[in-house]
Amino acid sequence: MTSSPALEVAHLKRSFHRPDGRLVTPVDDVSFTLAQDETLGLVGESGCGKSTLARALMQLPPPTSGSVRISGEELSQQSARARREARRRLQMVFQDPISSLNPRRRIADVVAEPLEIWGAGGAERNRQRIVDALNEVGFDADTVWSRRPHEMSGGQCQRVAIARALMLEPTVLVLDEPVSALDVSVQAQILNLLLDIKSRRSFSMIFISHDLAVIRNICDRVAVMYLGRIVEIGRTEDVYRNPQHPYTRALLGSVLAPGQKLPDEEVLSGDLPSLIDPPSGCRFRTRCTRASERCAIEAPVLDQAAPDHRVACHHPLGFPQAELRQSM
């Protein structure tokens, strides 16, 4: 019998009103599934809605519409008490490790906070569990037990944040740019730590990052976001080796290999449109060299391009150029 996915997201939307009254929808009709023990990468330009999507999954705040299911349980259809219980299985590690920790609390109390909130007692009552958690993320528990966050480096604070997120033994861990604020050498340490912990435990990860090399190294699948929507999703190697969406190809083309010369022309031209007034039809059409009249009228949906590889494009890169010119 096939087990249900760790996380199922269907037609998720998150909107809010600006102070001037205008409506902004940074996450618009997003759907995907996350399998048990899978790592899904989420990439895209700044402002495309990645962090808003992560917070909507966490119900911080809840999505405007759509469905989030954890291990088959629909969050929006449960009572407040049942929804709170289900959310224990969904935890998050934030981008800025220092600001995500309470500066007035000891490291032991920070890690014990999830247990304390759930009525299981604080650090002293759960001393062995806290020691085990600190050891798991590479600390000597006796050394860091009474320290405050300001006495720790950024990489050490991120280790503390990971230990805290794992205290309730989640089935899904959402990581919002967990290494972008760290030095390169420390980034590698944190990534190796996450992979080691995941190999010992059983949980799935959603990993948000701008670093395409990081995504390629640690993610089983990757989803590409543009202006609030997923435009391509598939197995990481399939997407990297054979991108089907022009935006995905532009993102991959913007990463230079050692010794590679700068491109003669811009890889991705034009400015990112505003979410206040996004383009009609395909949102990428204003920056796409393959755009046709159909792109301005009809919004593309995620269609199967290959096994476990979907793309939202009327003229994907596998589309013959001769046929494309006839449709324009």
Side-chain angles (χ1 to χ4, degrees), residues 81-100:
R81 182 173 182 177
R83 183 165 59 249
R84 183 172 183 265
E85 179 68 31
R87 285 176 58 192
R88 294 183 60 173
R89 303 197 294 274
L90 185 63
Q91 297 294 317
M92 186 167 180
V93 176
F94 296 91
Q95 179 174 356
D96 187 346
I98 297 177
S99 65
S100 67

Side-chain angles (χ1 to χ4, degrees), residues 52-168:
T52 304
L53 172 59
R55 291 175 178 271
L57 297 177
M58 296 294 302
Q59 314 290 303
L60 298 171
T64 305
S65 62
S67 169
V68 178
R69 300 173 69 91
I70 302 176
S71 300
E73 297 182 23
E74 170 59 55
L75 289 181
S76 63
Q77 296 178 358
Q78 295 180 327
S79 65
R81 182 173 182 177
R83 183 165 59 249
R84 183 172 183 265
E85 179 68 31
R87 285 176 58 192
R88 294 183 60 173
R89 303 197 294 274
L90 185 63
Q91 297 294 317
M92 186 167 180
V93 176
F94 296 91
Q95 179 174 356
D96 187 346
I98 297 177
S99 65
S100 67
L101 307 180
N102 189 331
R104 303 182 64 181
R105 306 201 73 182
R106 302 179 305 167
I107 295 302
D109 297 324
V110 169
V111 177
E113 189 173 15
L115 300 176
E116 191 175 353
I117 290 173
W118 280 90
E124 299 306 327
R125 181 176 173 182
N126 297 280
R127 186 176 186 87
Q128 190 56 52
R129 290 185 65 178
I130 307 306
V131 168
D132 292 342
L134 291 172
N135 290 340
E136 188 173 20
V137 296
F139 287 124
D140 175 60
D142 293 333
T143 301
V144 302
W145 186 272
S146 296
R147 288 185 184 177
R148 263 59 177 188
H150 73 272
E151 300 175 282
M152 314 279 280
S153 68
Q156 289 174 326
C157 284
Q158 196 62 292
R159 290 174 182 267
V160 173
I162 292 170
R164 178 180 62 181
L166 295 173
M167 286 306 297
L168 296 179

Side-chain angles (χ1 to χ4, degrees), residues 10-316:
H11 306 294
L12 198 72
K13 179 179 288 189
R14 176 60 192 148
S15 302
F16 59 89
H17 285 90
R18 289 166 45 95
D20 59 10
R22 288 183 290 181
L23 184 68
V24 179
T25 305
V27 176
D28 190 6
D29 196 24
V30 169
S31 301
F32 65 88
T33 60
L34 180 68
Q36 302 285 348
D37 298 323
E38 181 186 38
T39 300
L40 175 68
L42 191 61
V43 299
E45 292 174 275
S46 296
C48 72
K50 302 185 301 296
S51 294
T52 304
L53 172 59
R55 291 175 178 271
L57 297 177
M58 296 294 302
Q59 314 290 303
L60 298 171
T64 305
S65 62
S67 169
V68 178
R69 300 173 69 91
I70 302 176
S71 300
E73 297 182 23
E74 170 59 55
L75 289 181
S76 63
Q77 296 178 358
Q78 295 180 327
S79 65
R81 182 173 182 177
R83 183 165 59 249
R84 183 172 183 265
E85 179 68 31
R87 285 176 58 192
R88 294 183 60 173
R89 303 197 294 274
L90 185 63
Q91 297 294 317
M92 186 167 180
V93 176
F94 296 91
Q95 179 174 356
D96 187 346
I98 297 177
S99 65
S100 67
L101 307 180
N102 189 331
R104 303 182 64 181
R105 306 201 73 182
R106 302 179 305 167
I107 295 302
D109 297 324
V110 169
V111 177
E113 189 173 15
L115 300 176
E116 191 175 353
I117 290 173
W118 280 90
E124 299 306 327
R125 181 176 173 182
N126 297 280
R127 186 176 186 87
Q128 190 56 52
R129 290 185 65 178
I130 307 306
V131 168
D132 292 342
L134 291 172
N135 290 340
E136 188 173 20
V137 296
F139 287 124
D140 175 60
D142 293 333
T143 301
V144 302
W145 186 272
S146 296
R147 288 185 184 177
R148 263 59 177 188
H150 73 272
E151 300 175 282
M152 314 279 280
S153 68
Q156 289 174 326
C157 284
Q158 196 62 292
R159 290 174 182 267
V160 173
I162 292 170
R164 178 180 62 181
L166 295 173
M167 286 306 297
L168 296 179
E169 300 182 355
T171 58
V172 176
L173 190 61
V174 180
L175 301 115
D176 185 10
E177 299 273 9
V179 297
S180 64
L182 308 178
D183 293 337
V184 175
S185 59
V186 179
Q187 288 181 15
Q189 295 173 13
I190 296 298
L191 292 173
N192 288 332
L193 172 67
L194 286 168
L195 293 176
D196 288 343
I197 293 175
K198 189 173 182 295
S199 68
R200 293 192 298 268
R201 295 176 177 239
S202 178
F203 61 86
S204 305
M205 293 195 301
I206 296 177
F207 195 99
I208 300 172
S209 178
H210 285 96
D211 193 326
L212 297 174
V214 168
I215 293 292
R216 187 170 194 171
N217 285 328
I218 73 168
C219 295
D220 303 303
R221 289 193 303 144
V222 60
V224 182
M225 281 193 75
Y226 183 80
L227 218 63
R229 294 177 179 171
I230 291 179
V231 297
E232 187 165 0
I233 185 169
R235 289 188 292 265
T236 304
E237 280 305 309
D238 292 345
V239 172
Y240 275 60
R241 291 180 179 178
N242 188 29
Q244 290 296 300
H245 198 283
Y247 178 63
T248 305
R249 182 175 64 178
L251 278 184
L252 296 173
S254 67
V255 180
L256 294 178
Q260 180 180 344
K261 294 182 180 180
L262 291 172
D264 296 329
E265 299 179 355
E266 287 186 88
V267 175
L268 189 60
S269 62
D271 295 327
L272 187 71
S274 171
L275 280 168
I276 299 174
D277 186 23
S280 61
C282 174
R283 296 187 172 188
F284 185 62
R285 66 177 176 82
T286 57
R287 306 169 76 185
C288 181
T289 59
R290 301 171 67 88
S292 66
E293 292 182 5
R294 180 186 179 190
C295 300
I297 300 171
E298 180 184 347
V301 296
L302 278 170
D303 282 333
Q304 199 85 359
D308 200 24
H309 189 166
R310 294 186 295 159
V311 60
C313 183
H314 294 309
H315 311 300

